[in-house]
Amino acid sequence: MTTAPVLHLDNIVKTFPGVRALDGVSFSVLPGEVHALMGENGAGKSTLMKVLGGIYQPDGGDIYMGDTKVTMSGPLEAKAMGIVFIHQELSLAEELSVAENIYLGELPRKSFGRVDWATLTAQTNAILKKLNVGFDAKTRVGDLSIANQQMVEIARALTVDAKAVIFDEPTASLTDAEKVVLFDVIADLKADGVGIIYISHRMEEIFKITDRISILRDGQYQGTVVTAETNEEAVTQMMIGRKLDLSRNAAHHDLGAVALEVRGLSCGALYQDVSFEVRRGEVVGFYGLVGAGRTEIAETLFGLRDPSAGQILLDGEEVRLHSPADAIALGISLVPEDRKGQGLILGMNCRDNMTLPQVDDLKAGPFVAEGAEIAIFDQYRDRLDIRTPSWKQRVGNLSGGNQQKIVIGKWLSMHPNVLIVDEPTRGIDVGSKSEIHKLLRELAAQGYAVIVISSEMPEVLHVSDRIVAMYSGRITRTFTSDEVTEDNLIQAISGIKPGHAA
Amino acid sequence: MATLTKQRIGSVLAKQGILIAFAVFMIAFTIANPKFLSVDNLFSVVRSSAILGVMALGVTFVVISGNLDLSVGSMMSFSTIVVLDLHDKIGPLLAIPAMFAMTLGLGAFIGFLVGYLRLNSLIVTLGMLSAIHGLTLTYSGGQNMDIADKEGTWFSAFGQGTALGVPVPILIFIAVAVFLGAVLSKTAFGRKVYAVGGNGTAATFSGIRRARTVFTCYLISAACVATAGLIQASRSMGSQNTVGQGLELEVLAAVILGGASLLGGSGTIFKAVIGVLILGFIQNGLLLLGLQFYVQFVVTWVIIILAVWLDIAAKRGKLWSPIA
C-alpha cells in the first residue's frame, strides 16, 4: 500500500517517576482504516491517547501526520490538526440544545454578536442527517439517551476537518441496537477516508468492525495484526500471555435449597410480574437490553426501590426490604453496576472499603477492631488475588479489576445468602475478567446463591447455570444452560416469540 | 532526574503549603515583635482560641460528612444568653443541662432538615444563622444578660478557673479534642462519617444509614457549641446577644486551614486543632504588630481564600489553573 498513513507513531516513550508508561510504541493508522488499540488496564492505552491529545508530551519518539512531523503542544492544537476524541465519559451541557453543544464556542454570529440561529440549525441538521439520527438540532441534550448523546459528540467531531477520530470504549453504555447505529457511523467515517483508532475491551466488536489491531502490554508495543488473519485467542495471548476461557458453562454440581424466591414482583413501569427462584449452588444470569429492568430488580432486592406488587421470599419466608441496611441484615449483597459511583469510596483505603458494611460488628470495646479488619482484608486479598502494596492504599489508586475485587471481597466477607452481581466485569481488563468469572463459578460450587446481571452475552453464557431473559420489564423466557443458544437468547431479549423469528 | 526532584519539591510545597505558610508567618511575627514567642503570649493565644476551637471540633464532623454548618456563631450566642439567664433563675446546676438540651434541640432540628429531608446544608444553616439570632433576641428581649451575684457562684470556673496551673478552657478544649478525636478515628461511627462524606451513594450501598449519620454530626456540632457557650458565659459572666457573631466564618476558616475538604470525606480532629492554632497565632500576631482588631475580619477571609486555594492547588498539582 502506498497511501501515507494519516497518523504514524514512531518509537514513542513516556516515563513517569518510577514507571516507563510507554516504552517504544510505534504504529500507523491508514486513511479509511479502523485500527483497534488493545491492552489490559495499565497497558498504556490511556497514556498514549493523552500523548496524541497533547495532554502529555512524549519523552522520546515522533508523531507524523501524513508526511509531516507534528508536535501536539495542547488539546487545542491536537484538535486543530484534525485529531478528535470521542470519550467514554461524555462532556456535554445538558441544558443546551444539540446545535449549541455541537458548535459550542464557535456559534455562527450575526451583527452585534447575536447568534445566527438559522445558520446554526441548518448546519447542525445537515450533520445530523449524515449521521441518520432520530433527533434534531433543537432537542435539549439532557432529553437524549446516552447513545444519542454520544452521537452529539460524534457530530461535534464532524464539524472539524477530522483526519483521525479516536473512540475510547464507545459502546460501554450502549444497547445492542444502539451499537449498530454507532458502527454505521464508523463505517461512514471510514468511507470518507478518516483514520479511526478504536479502543475497546470487547472482542466481538473488535472482530466485527476493525481492520487491524495493535496491542500494548505493560507500555510495550506487542505488534500489529490484520484482524481478518487472527482470532480472539491469539489477540488475548498477545495482551496477557495466557488464554481467556469463554466457553459455555458446562459445570453441573448439586443444587441446594431455594435461597431466594420472587413471586409476581412489579415496580410501576420499570418491570412487571417478575417471578423466579435462585437455589444455593447456582448462578442465575439475567440477560437483556439496557432498560429491560434487570438493574431495577436488583435494586429492589437490595432495598433501594420499593416494589408496587409481589413478594420476596428468603429461605421460604417473606421479607420486606426498605433499605440496603435491611437487605444486608438478611444476607443479601449487591455488587453494583457503577463501581466508582456506588461500590467504593475512592478516597478511602482498601481495608476500610472492604469492611465498611460490617464496621458496626467488628468491635474492640467502644472502638473498631482494626486487627480484625486487617485479618479480613488479608484473607480476601489472598483469596481474590488483589494486587495492592498494602491495605493502606487508597482504593482510587487501584486498577479497575482490583477495585472490583475489593467490592466483591466486601460482600464475600459478610458470607451472604444471596450475592447479586451487576455487570461484574464492566471496564475491566481481560485477565481480571477471567479471574472474576472463575470466582463466580467457585462461589456457586461453594453453595452461594448467585445472580449475575450482564450485558455481555459470552459472559452470561459462560457463568450461568440458568439464564433469565428479559424484554421491556418482563421475563420472556428462562433457559437452562443446555437449551440456550445465541439465537434463541437474542430472540428472547428482543421480544420475538419463538417460531416467529424473522 | 532533575525533573523528578523538581516535581517532589512541587508536591511537598503543594501538600504542606499551609504549614509552610504558617512557619513563615511565625518567623516574620517573631522578628517583628519578639514578645510573640513568649510563653505568656503562647498561653494566652491557646486560651483565647479555646472557644473557637471547641466549636471547630464539632464543625469538623459536619464538614467531613460533606455538609456545612454556618449556624454555630449565632447558636453560641443563644446558648450563652440562655445559660446566663437561667443561672439566676434556676441555679447553675440546672441551668447548664437545660441550656445543653435547648442547644441540642436546635442541632437536632438542623440535622433533621439536612439529614432526613435532604435539604442543602448551606441554605439550612445560613437560614438558621438568622433564625437563631432572632430566637436569641426574642428570648432576651434584646437586653444584655448579666449574672447578678458574680462573686457568689462557682459558675466562673469554666471560663476563668485554672487546674494544675492550666486555664480550664484549655483543659476543656484538650479533653473534647481527645474524646472527639477518638470518636472520629477509632469508632464505627467515625468511619461512617468519612464514608458518607467521601461517597454518600456508595455508603448507602454499603448499608450505612446516611440520614442518621448526618443527623448525629449536627448533634455533635451543637454539643460543641453548647460547651463553647458555657466557657464564654463563664468567662464574661454577662453577655450581649451578638457574642458569637461572625464566629461561623472563623470556625470554618480553622477547619479548612486544617485541611478538611469542603467536599467532604477528609480531615482529622488533630488537623482541625492545628488549624485553630494557626488562625489564633496569626490573629494574635497581627494585634502585636499594632494592627487594629477590625483588620481581623479581612484577614480571616484572606486566610479562607488562601487555604482553599492551596488545597485545590495541591489536588491539581499547580497554583495557576484558569477555567479552560
Side-chain angles (χ1 to χ4, degrees):
Chain A
M1 209 180 286
T2 50
T3 345
V6 282
L7 193 63
H8 175 65
L9 304 178
D10 186 31
N11 209 16
I12 301 287
V13 175
K14 175 76 195 172
T15 48
F16 295 109
V19 198
R20 222 169 157 78
L22 293 174
D23 193 0
V25 176
S26 310
F27 69 91
S28 321
V29 182
L30 302 170
E33 177 190 38
V34 181
H35 195 117
L37 184 63
M38 296 194 78
E40 294 197 83
N41 290 341
K45 288 171 300 183
S46 313
T47 312
L48 187 61
M49 289 309 109
K50 284 183 178 154
V51 167
L52 274 181
I55 296 163
Y56 293 157
Q57 298 307 314
D59 301 326
D62 298 313
I63 303 171
Y64 296 89
M65 291 195 72
D67 295 322
T68 37
K69 186 176 155 184
V70 295
T71 320
M72 318 288 177
S73 43
L76 293 175
E77 286 75 8
K79 194 179 171 191
M81 284 179 219
I83 298 182
V84 178
F85 289 83
I86 310 293
H87 289 287
Q88 190 177 354
E89 267 128 44
L90 303 168
S91 52
L92 296 168
E94 295 201 343
E95 294 300 328
L96 297 183
S97 72
V98 169
E100 287 167 298
N101 266 286
I102 291 176
Y103 285 99
L104 207 60
E106 297 147 16
L107 293 172
R109 299 290 170 85
K110 292 194 289 190
S111 54
F112 302 108
R114 290 172 303 152
V115 174
D116 183 354
W117 291 105
T119 311
L120 177 66
T121 309
Q123 282 180 356
T124 307
N125 280 333
I127 293 176
L128 295 178
K129 202 176 163 201
K130 212 163 133 191
L131 291 175
N132 197 18
V133 291
F135 55 89
D136 73 0
K138 290 182 177 162
T139 316
R140 184 178 155 267
V141 162
D143 293 334
L144 297 174
S145 68
I146 298 288
N148 279 331
Q149 291 189 8
Q150 199 162 35
M151 287 299 158
V152 176
E153 288 261 9
I154 295 171
R156 189 149 75 181
L158 296 182
T159 63
V160 298
D161 184 17
K163 297 203 170 56
V165 179
I166 294 147
F167 289 88
D168 187 2
E169 292 272 1
T171 55
S173 42
L174 299 191
T175 63
D176 286 346
E178 290 164 343
K179 282 180 203 166
V180 174
V181 179
L182 175 72
F183 294 160
D184 283 347
V185 170
I186 291 176
D188 286 347
L189 286 172
K190 194 176 147 149
D192 291 344
V194 176
I196 292 157
I197 297 181
Y198 191 89
I199 302 173
S200 176
H201 287 302
R202 300 191 178 176
M203 288 285 186
E204 308 159 64
E205 293 169 9
I206 299 282
F207 278 87
K208 200 163 157 188
I209 67 163
T210 69
D211 301 305
R212 291 193 298 163
I213 306 172
S214 286
I215 293 133
L216 298 181
R217 189 197 325 161
D218 298 330
Q220 288 177 335
Y221 174 62
Q222 300 295 312
T224 299
V225 290
V226 175
T227 310
E229 294 167 6
T230 185
N231 57 33
E232 295 190 15
E233 256 187 83
V235 171
T236 310
Q237 202 92 46
M238 287 174 82
M239 283 164 63
I240 59 173
R242 64 201 134 100
K243 208 180 136 202
L244 176 66
D245 177 19
L246 269 185
S247 58
R248 190 73 60 84
N249 169 39
H252 286 286
H253 39 79
D254 296 335
L255 298 184
V258 173
L260 170 74
E261 187 182 351
V262 168
R263 285 188 199 150
L265 202 65
S266 300
C267 183
L270 295 169
Y271 59 85
Q272 299 84 37
D273 198 22
V274 166
S275 303
F276 63 91
E277 56 178 44
V278 186
R279 292 175 175 274
R280 291 187 197 287
E282 177 180 50
V283 178
V284 175
F286 273 71
Y287 187 64
L289 302 174
V290 172
R294 300 165 303 160
T295 297
E296 290 76 9
I297 292 174
E299 286 173 354
T300 306
L301 293 175
F302 196 54
L304 287 159
R305 248 175 228 284
D306 285 337
S308 50
Q311 295 172 294
I312 301 168
L313 292 88
L314 274 179
D315 293 323
E317 267 182 60
E318 183 171 0
V319 292
R320 295 194 176 278
L321 309 162
H322 297 297
S323 71
D326 293 347
I328 292 164
L330 290 165
I332 301 176
S333 293
L334 172 69
V335 175
E337 178 180 25
D338 177 1
R339 185 166 56 243
K340 291 181 180 171
Q342 302 169 330
L344 293 166
I345 290 145
L346 295 176
M348 244 186 190
N349 67 42
C350 295
R351 180 199 71 183
D352 293 1
N353 263 288
M354 194 181 272
T355 56
L356 195 55
Q358 52 181 324
V359 72
D360 273 321
D361 304 324
L362 300 168
K363 283 230 167 98
F367 299 139
V368 179
E370 298 198 30
E373 285 188 289
I374 294 172
I376 290 175
F377 175 79
D378 285 345
Q379 185 190 343
Y380 286 89
R381 181 198 58 206
D382 294 346
R383 178 161 170 204
L384 304 177
D385 190 24
I386 298 170
R387 312 249 172 89
T388 166
S390 133
W391 61 262
K392 292 173 184 150
Q393 187 71 20
R394 284 173 69 246
V395 159
N397 294 341
L398 300 186
S399 72
N402 282 315
Q403 287 182 350
Q404 186 72 323
K405 288 179 187 172
I406 297 267
V407 184
I408 294 176
K410 168 162 102 173
W411 296 117
L412 284 190
S413 65
M414 305 274 294
H415 308 291
N417 292 319
V418 178
L419 179 66
I420 307 168
V421 192
D422 195 354
E423 299 291 358
T425 61
R426 171 169 291 176
I428 285 177
D429 63 79
V430 181
S432 310
K433 213 168 186 166
S434 88
E435 286 177 42
I436 286 172
H437 290 159
K438 205 171 128 224
L439 176 73
L440 292 171
R441 294 301 317 159
E442 278 172 17
L443 292 176
Q446 286 161 18
Y448 284 98
V450 183
I451 295 176
V452 171
I453 298 170
S454 174
S455 299
E456 293 184 46
M457 189 188 287
E459 177 165 278
V460 174
L461 293 174
H462 179 58
V463 300
S464 313
D465 294 296
R466 284 191 299 133
I467 296 171
V468 174
M470 291 196 67
Y471 171 71
S472 175
R474 288 178 186 276
I475 292 180
T476 47
R477 194 173 162 190
T478 302
F479 300 89
T480 65
S481 61
D482 305 326
E483 55 192 29
V484 68
T485 65
E486 289 198 13
D487 288 339
N488 63 20
L489 187 51
I490 286 176
Q491 285 179 5
I493 64 150
S494 323
I496 302 169
K497 299 262 186 312
H500 298 273
Chain B
M1 284 298 111
T3 51
L4 203 148
T5 330
K6 203 176 153 194
Q7 255 174 358
R8 260 192 202 153
I9 292 170
S11 85
V12 167
L13 253 177
K15 272 185 193 144
Q16 307 300 337
I18 284 163
L19 281 180
I20 294 168
F22 177 53
V24 173
F25 262 115
M26 293 290 275
I27 294 165
F29 284 145
T30 311
I31 293 169
N33 189 338
K35 248 198 291 185
F36 184 67
L37 267 191
S38 69
V39 177
D40 273 354
N41 190 50
L42 295 183
F43 232 47
S44 102
V45 169
V46 179
R47 186 172 57 188
S48 63
S49 298
I51 292 173
L52 178 83
V54 171
M55 289 161 75
L57 299 175
V59 171
T60 299
F61 277 76
V62 174
V63 168
I64 294 175
S65 80
N67 294 296
L68 284 174
D69 193 348
L70 294 177
S71 69
V72 291
S74 75
M75 201 189 284
M76 199 272 261
S77 306
F78 173 81
S79 48
T80 305
I81 291 292
V82 166
V83 78
L84 287 171
D85 175 61
L86 292 182
H87 179 278
D88 284 4
K89 289 181 180 155
I90 57 176
L93 203 59
L94 289 175
I96 295 170
M99 177 273 277
F100 265 81
M102 287 161 87
T103 311
L104 283 173
L106 292 174
F109 182 59
I110 298 173
F112 172 77
L113 294 179
V114 177
Y116 289 91
L117 296 189
R118 282 207 278 169
L119 305 184
N120 179 293
S121 67
L122 175 71
I123 303 299
V124 168
T125 59
L126 201 55
M128 285 299 280
L129 181 152
S130 165
I132 296 173
H133 183 53
L135 191 66
T136 309
L137 288 170
T138 311
Y139 182 93
S140 66
Q143 302 297 307
N144 292 348
M145 286 294 168
D146 272 298
I147 290 176
D149 180 10
K150 292 188 170 67
E151 306 302 321
T153 172
W154 48 268
F155 186 74
S156 61
F158 303 104
Q160 300 169 29
T162 55
L164 308 165
V166 183
V168 172
I170 296 181
L171 292 176
I172 294 178
F173 181 37
I174 293 172
V176 176
V178 168
F179 175 72
L180 289 182
V183 169
L184 188 58
S185 68
K186 299 283 177 201
T187 68
F189 170 74
R191 193 70 63 74
K192 292 180 197 170
V193 174
Y194 283 107
V196 165
N199 182 346
T201 309
T204 305
F205 272 72
S206 295
I208 289 172
R209 297 187 191 272
R210 254 165 100 181
R212 192 183 291 177
T213 309
V214 169
F215 178 82
T216 312
C217 286
Y218 278 103
L219 276 189
I220 291 173
S221 180
C224 288
V225 169
T227 308
L230 177 63
I231 299 172
Q232 175 64 42
S234 161
R235 189 159 89 177
S236 55
M237 302 299 275
S239 176
Q240 297 173 344
N241 290 289
T242 53
V243 60
Q245 200 173 46
L247 273 184
E248 58 280 336
L249 264 196
E250 290 191 39
V251 165
L252 198 61
V255 172
I256 300 170
L257 265 179
S261 164
L262 281 184
L263 300 174
S266 73
T268 65
I269 287 293
F270 176 72
K271 285 181 178 170
V273 171
I274 299 290
V276 168
L277 294 180
I278 292 178
L279 191 67
F281 277 114
I282 290 175
Q283 292 184 343
N284 172 264
L286 292 174
L287 283 181
L288 289 186
L289 286 185
L291 287 169
Q292 292 217 317
F293 169 73
Y294 315 114
V295 175
Q296 288 196 1
F297 295 113
V298 179
V299 169
T300 306
W301 178 84
V302 170
I303 289 170
I304 291 182
I305 299 297
L306 223 93
V308 171
W309 182 27
L310 285 173
D311 178 46
I312 283 290
K315 285 192 185 113
R316 294 182 186 144
K318 50 185 174 186
L319 289 172
W320 177 250
S321 48
I323 300 169

